[in-house]
Amino acid sequence: MPTFYGKDIASRLMLGTAQYPSPAILADAFRQSQAGIATVSVRREAGGEQAGQDFWQLIQDLGVAVLPNTAGCHSVREAVTTAQMARELFDTNWIKLEVIGHADTLQPDPFGLVEAAAQLSEDGFEVFPYCTEDLVLCEKLVEVGCRVLMPWGAPIGTGLGLNNIYGLRTLRAHFPDIPLVVDAGLGVPSQAAHAIELGYDAVLLNTAVAKAGDPVAMAKGFALAVEAGALAAAADPMEPRDMAAPSTPVLGKAFL
């Protein structure tokens, strides 16, 4: 099971908390997913006795680790300020760092991401950066203090799966000791299983479950998928080959 900043997590599935049809469905989906981490946007919370307390109580009742995020932030200043607010609200140094650079694809701004990660790391945060699979960008993030990398599979909410298998494999090979999480773009459980088969430590998703016709059933599907992917990865799978190879031995076969 994955370990993030010294904390062991009981599941390879991380799940977002937005867009569910109702709080009850959100809670049921989390239970079926067996997710070990819930990501939460600061914008959904409020201090004191305001409305956000009901949502926060729901998340606490799930009994999972909470990973606040800076979703929707488009500048370093906005992301850093949001992270500081999150630390006060949730009493955690964990932060999923998003600095969006492109409005249509929601691709992260690599320059702002590294700058914000450096500032937050210096301030004692344990940063989970939402990034692309760019090797140079990921090296810079590690250099400024990130001990987890979260490359996208595809743009947020698209369900396109793993668009750049080569890039994801390259990251896994280059960072054998850094926990890697595929974050964003997964649409069906088979894509999550593939990410784990590639050696990734976990996957993070939201829309694929929350917007499914039956979010609870889809959550269970993803739970089974990450388990299957982990079993396959540990079983030392066969290498693909170009030519067919008979599965039934021909030795001793009669030739007529």
Side-chain angles (χ1 to χ4, degrees):
M1 291 302 174
T3 300
F4 301 126
Y5 291 103
K7 182 178 179 64
D8 294 331
I9 303 299
S11 171
R12 297 183 183 276
L13 182 59
M14 305 161 66
L15 201 56
T17 56
Q19 306 184 77
Y20 288 83
S22 72
I25 291 176
L26 164 62
D28 288 345
F30 258 87
R31 294 186 185 100
Q32 289 296 321
S33 74
Q34 302 176 33
I37 293 177
T39 60
V40 181
S41 171
V42 174
R43 287 168 172 76
R44 300 192 59 172
E45 293 306 310
E49 298 300 322
Q50 299 181 48
Q53 289 301 303
D54 290 338
F55 178 78
W56 177 222
Q57 186 61 54
L58 170 63
I59 300 303
Q60 288 180 306
D61 290 343
L62 296 175
V64 299
V66 174
L67 176 61
N69 65 41
T70 64
C73 293
H74 291 259
S75 69
V76 173
R77 181 178 180 181
E78 186 180 12
V80 170
T81 300
T82 302
Q84 292 168 339
M85 292 169 57
R87 181 157 61 182
E88 293 184 12
L89 281 169
F90 300 107
D91 191 28
T92 178
N93 287 324
W94 279 14
I95 191 72
K96 180 192 170 189
L97 178 62
E98 297 183 27
V99 183
I100 301 302
H102 192 271
D104 291 334
T105 64
L106 301 180
Q107 180 169 327
D109 171 4
F111 308 102
L113 184 63
V114 172
E115 183 180 346
Q119 291 185 27
L120 292 172
S121 294
E122 290 177 1
D123 194 25
F125 282 90
E126 295 173 326
V127 181
F128 295 66
Y130 161 64
C131 57
T132 65
E133 71 280 10
D134 184 272
L135 180 59
V136 177
L137 168 60
C138 290
E139 285 183 329
K140 297 294 184 184
L141 290 168
V142 172
E143 287 174 5
V144 300
C146 297
R147 295 296 174 261
V148 177
L149 296 171
M150 302 181 72
W152 65 357
I156 294 171
T158 61
L160 292 173
L162 308 181
N163 278 354
N164 184 358
I165 302 297
Y166 169 79
L168 293 172
R169 280 187 175 140
T170 300
L171 282 188
R172 180 70 284 173
H174 192 75
F175 297 105
D177 300 321
I178 297 288
L180 299 180
V181 180
V182 169
D183 175 15
L186 301 182
V188 290
S190 60
Q191 296 164 351
H194 193 185
I196 303 300
E197 289 168 2
L198 290 175
Y200 276 66
D201 297 273
V203 296
L204 194 163
L205 53 111
N206 189 161
T207 309
V209 169
K211 289 298 188 178
D214 186 341
V216 178
M218 186 63 78
K220 184 174 182 179
F222 273 101
L224 296 172
V226 296
E227 182 179 354
L231 289 170
D236 190 17
M238 63 175 285
E239 291 291 332
R241 52 183 293 155
D242 294 328
M243 299 295 292
S247 57
T248 301
V250 295
L251 186 66
K253 178 182 177 181
F255 289 92
L256 304 177

